[in-house]
């Protein structure tokens, strides 16, 4: 077991970030999507998506919500807010979300607050950053994964509720 000096780890992480992210991040991209915003969106995608295709689709949905002024309503931000408020008490960093969590008082609660949360909620992969900057074009505003991990998206909330009932029953 080798031990790496914290300064070496910092240098390695910085170098990798420069090579994998910043080297692909043009000035024109920075003008449209500042790197802090891109990293925040990528962190949401990292926590919400299961595959590359899901990442790009969720990216499209997040950007759609931003463009129409809709709250992001992302459960992973509730998990982040809840974990920050209860770490050590529950024993898990990503606690399950329950309906009452939508009322957690936190700047990271994207059900209560419009726009992006104040910063990233996770360490995004390069794939998530690429997806954040290359969203799939979609008309969808709502999405979920069913119990088999299959991704579903809809244009309207009514369609979303109908699909939720189909996959999860009346009680969800």
């Amino acid at each position: 077991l080798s031990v790496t000096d914290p300064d070496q780890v910092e240098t390695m992480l910085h170098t990798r970030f420069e090579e994998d992210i910043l080297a692909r991040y043009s000035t024109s991209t920075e003008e449209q999507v500042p790197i802090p915003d891109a990293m925040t969106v990528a962190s949401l995608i990292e926590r919400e998506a299961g595959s590359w295709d899901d990442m790009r689709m969720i990216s499209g949905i997040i950007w759609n919500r931003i463009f129409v002024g809709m709250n992001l309503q992302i459960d992973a931000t509730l998990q982040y807010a809840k974990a920050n408020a209860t770490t050590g008490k529950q024993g898990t960093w990503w606690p399950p979300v329950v309906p009452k969590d939508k009322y957690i008082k936190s700047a990271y609660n994207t059900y209560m607050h419009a726009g992006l949360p104040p910063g990233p909620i996770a360490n995004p992969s390069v794939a998530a950053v690429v997806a954040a900057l290359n969203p799939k074009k979609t008309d969808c505003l709502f999405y979920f994964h069913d119990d088999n991990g299959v991704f579903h998206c809809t244009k309207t909330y009514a369609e979303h509720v109908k699909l939720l009932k189909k996959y999860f029953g009346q009680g969800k």
Side-chain angles (χ1 to χ4, degrees), residues 1-164:
L1 181 69
S2 65
V3 177
T4 305
D5 178 270
D7 290 334
Q8 290 176 311
V9 172
E10 179 183 6
T11 300
M12 288 171 25
L13 289 172
H14 183 72
T15 300
R16 178 130 190 240
F17 184 76
E18 284 182 346
E19 292 171 355
D20 292 346
I21 304 299
L22 294 182
R24 302 176 188 187
Y25 204 76
S26 69
T27 305
S28 60
T29 304
E30 171 69 24
E31 289 172 8
Q32 297 297 312
V33 183
I35 194 78
D37 291 351
M39 296 307 291
T40 299
V41 170
S43 75
L44 302 175
I45 294 167
E46 186 70 33
R47 289 294 306 144
E48 288 284 303
S51 69
W52 168 246
D53 289 334
D54 287 0
M55 285 183 173
R56 291 200 55 231
M57 182 62 86
I58 291 171
S59 177
I61 293 168
I62 289 171
W63 288 113
N64 285 350
R65 289 177 180 183
I66 289 170
F67 294 148
V68 300
M70 179 180 165
N71 286 10
L72 295 180
Q73 300 178 354
I74 294 177
D75 285 356
T77 64
L78 295 180
Q79 287 180 299
Y80 184 82
K82 186 174 182 178
N84 273 328
T86 61
T87 297
K89 297 176 191 170
Q90 286 189 310
T92 180
W93 179 249
W94 297 107
V97 172
V98 295
K100 71 178 184 176
D101 293 338
K102 293 177 183 176
Y103 304 100
I104 292 173
K105 291 185 185 334
S106 169
Y108 285 88
N109 182 341
T110 58
Y111 280 83
M112 293 181 76
H113 301 288
L116 293 174
I121 62 166
N123 186 20
S125 62
V126 172
V129 176
V130 171
L133 298 173
N134 297 281
K136 187 167 186 176
K137 186 170 176 54
T138 179
D139 292 333
C140 291
L141 286 172
F142 302 92
Y143 69 94
F144 67 93
H145 290 89
D146 66 27
D147 287 338
N148 295 316
V150 177
F151 183 83
H152 302 272
C153 77
T154 58
K155 297 176 188 179
T156 69
Y157 185 68
E159 292 170 318
H160 179 67
V161 170
K162 185 177 178 180
L163 273 183
L164 287 172

